[in-house]
Amino acid sequence: MGNTYKIAVIPGDGTGPEVIKEGVKVLDAAASKFGFDLDMTWYDYGGDRYLKTGEVLPEGAAEDLKQYKAIYLGAIGHPDVKPGILEKGILLALRFALDQYINLRPVILYPGVDTPLKDKGPEDINFVVVRENTEGLYAGAGGVLKKGTPDEVAVQESINTRKGVERCIRYAYEYCRKRNQKKTLTLCGKTNVLTFAFDLWERAFYEIGEEYPDIKKEYAHVDATCMWMVKNPEWFDVIVTDNMFGDIITDLGAMIQGGMGIAAGGNINPEGVSMFEPIGGSAPKYTGKNVINPLAAICAGQMMLDYLGEEDAAKAVEDAVKKAVSQDLKSLSAGKMGYSTTEVGDLVAGYVKEAS
Ligand code: IPM
Ligand code: MN
């Protein structure tokens, strides 16, 4: 008998439940094929629950989620809820409470998928961003004075702790070594302007780097990183960066790998509970139409399998996704795939079952 993994599923808002349903279909196919069990418990956290109960996460929610091995999340964001409430109250709250200090975002262009970058193909777009996920500008430090007056002052500070920076950088070096491709880790920062925060990052990067003589070290400012991601994405292997820069460059990354239909990420606590999600939003206008692309959610599921240690199953899901995008799907955009949401799930689950 294989292992049993306890998984919390939070489908969330908008098209979240539709894509998670297809993700679960594929995960179940992988579990039966590769001989392990996924014991899933569903949670209704999201905008609808908030509108009904006035509460974003119930008391003790994060504590309760600690009993699981991983969390599988759809999307958070509801058109009737003011922006910020659900994002901060659910997504960021869980990242912080569960100390998911890494946000791992592969930027991989699969064969057959269109990229907006002219003359670039799958051999050029294949890197991973390791984004710090619990500090920086997201820490919530700062405040506002004289709000609503002409003298208003708003301060939002970036918090960078030696411990937080160090564990992120160490994770990135380890990841780069394990990935075993170009063996190059690029620190993305802004040492020419943010001379306190990125001085700390830069010193930690080279100091810890001494333990990784096999890894080549590079540095790029964040603005230049954006430029190179478009002009020469093939230069990158693993990029490590802070929370805010990581947020921005991974949306750019998602676009060059084929869009939000395929981009997935993991919020990782290597010693605790990690959470996997498609990185696009809840796309409320497509809700219930069976047209949204579930591949990003399926790829998030694949990352979760890898994290659980079910590497063969993860590989089979990745191969199945590659097969679907190269042979079947006409486009990765909602409504233009040539297949419905549920049909894409069936297709990928079918390929997983056929895996050898
Ligand atoms: C992401 C999202 C979130 C972030 C939002 C929804 C709070 O954009 O996961 O990248 O900024 O981290
Ligand atoms: Mn983002």
Side-chain angles (χ1 to χ4, degrees):
M1 247 324 272
N3 287 322
T4 297
Y5 305 101
K6 284 184 74 176
I7 307 293
V9 183
I10 308 176
D13 300 318
T15 51
E18 288 169 64
V19 298
I20 285 298
K21 190 164 155 259
E22 300 318 305
V24 167
K25 191 185 276 177
V26 172
L27 288 169
D28 282 340
S32 65
K33 174 90 189 180
F34 290 89
F36 58 90
D37 277 311
L38 296 169
D39 173 9
M40 301 190 192
T41 307
W42 297 65
Y43 288 84
D44 65 353
Y45 303 151
D48 286 328
R49 181 196 163 100
Y50 170 72
L51 290 170
K52 252 186 268 144
T53 65
E55 137 190 290
V56 266
L57 281 178
E59 183 94 5
E63 221 29 62
D64 173 44
L65 288 168
K66 286 186 184 160
Q67 65 180 295
Y68 299 97
K69 195 83 190 133
I71 302 167
Y72 190 38
L73 174 70
I76 298 294
H78 195 292
D80 302 336
V81 181
K82 209 171 122 218
I85 294 178
L86 302 171
E87 293 85 339
K88 277 185 139 170
I90 300 178
L91 186 60
L92 298 183
L94 291 178
R95 287 178 183 171
F96 288 4
L98 300 172
D99 202 21
Q100 293 164 340
Y101 61 86
I102 298 296
N103 195 319
L104 191 67
R105 298 201 166 166
V107 179
I108 299 173
L109 178 68
Y110 289 139
V113 174
D114 279 341
T115 174
L117 299 187
K118 189 164 155 275
D119 301 331
K120 297 291 176 191
E123 60 295 350
D124 304 304
I125 301 172
N126 186 342
F127 62 92
V128 177
V129 178
V130 175
R131 161 185 174 191
E132 201 292 320
N133 211 31
T134 53
E135 301 193 338
L137 282 168
Y138 280 67
V144 59
L145 291 172
K146 302 181 187 172
K147 188 167 180 172
T149 75
D151 297 327
E152 181 163 347
V153 181
V155 178
Q156 194 109 35
E157 287 166 316
S158 175
I159 303 298
N160 298 263
T161 67
R162 175 77 199 199
K163 178 183 149 203
V165 169
E166 199 166 314
R167 66 185 181 174
C168 175
I169 288 176
R170 199 172 289 283
Y171 182 93
Y173 275 115
E174 290 291 335
Y175 189 89
C176 188
R177 184 178 270 172
K178 184 157 176 248
R179 177 168 150 90
N180 199 19
Q181 295 201 13
K182 293 195 189 82
K183 294 247 197 155
T184 304
L185 180 63
T186 304
L187 171 64
C188 161
K190 191 72 190 175
T191 53
N192 53 349
V193 176
L194 305 180
T195 49
F196 309 131
F198 279 99
D199 178 54
L200 167 54
W201 275 85
E202 193 177 34
R203 276 182 286 116
F205 181 68
Y206 290 109
E207 281 165 28
I208 297 163
E210 285 174 22
E211 296 165 40
Y212 299 89
D214 51 321
I215 307 292
K216 204 167 145 216
K217 289 115 195 137
E218 302 270 18
Y219 172 81
H221 295 320
V222 61
D223 44 356
T225 303
C226 292
M227 179 179 78
W228 298 127
M229 277 173 68
V230 172
K231 192 168 183 294
N232 295 97
E234 67 279 6
W235 288 358
F236 294 116
D237 179 17
V238 179
I239 299 177
V240 63
T241 191
D242 83 346
N243 208 341
M244 187 79 256
F245 292 167
D247 178 48
I248 297 167
I249 68 170
T250 53
D251 264 30
L252 176 53
M255 287 304 120
I256 67 171
Q257 75 181 114
M260 290 303 180
I262 189 114
N267 301 276
I268 312 247
N269 176 343
E271 297 90 35
V273 185
S274 299
M275 177 164 75
F276 298 85
E277 50 170 341
I279 82 170
S282 57
K285 71 175 181 197
Y286 296 120
T287 305
K289 299 202 158 75
N290 201 19
V291 296
I292 193 83
N293 185 348
L295 286 177
I298 292 171
C299 291
Q302 177 246 320
M303 291 181 75
M304 183 166 78
L305 292 177
D306 204 46
Y307 168 83
L308 294 173
E310 294 294 342
E311 279 144 11
D312 294 339
K315 171 87 173 44
V317 172
E318 186 180 13
D319 289 345
V321 168
K322 280 186 180 166
K323 203 165 174 179
V325 296
S326 67
Q327 297 182 2
D328 308 300
L329 268 66
K330 287 212 224 24
S331 153
L332 298 190
S333 304
K336 297 183 185 145
M337 301 184 289
Y339 294 83
S340 65
T341 306
T342 42
E343 283 167 347
V344 174
D346 290 340
L347 196 62
V348 176
Y351 289 148
V352 169
K353 287 183 196 140
E354 287 164 16
S356 50

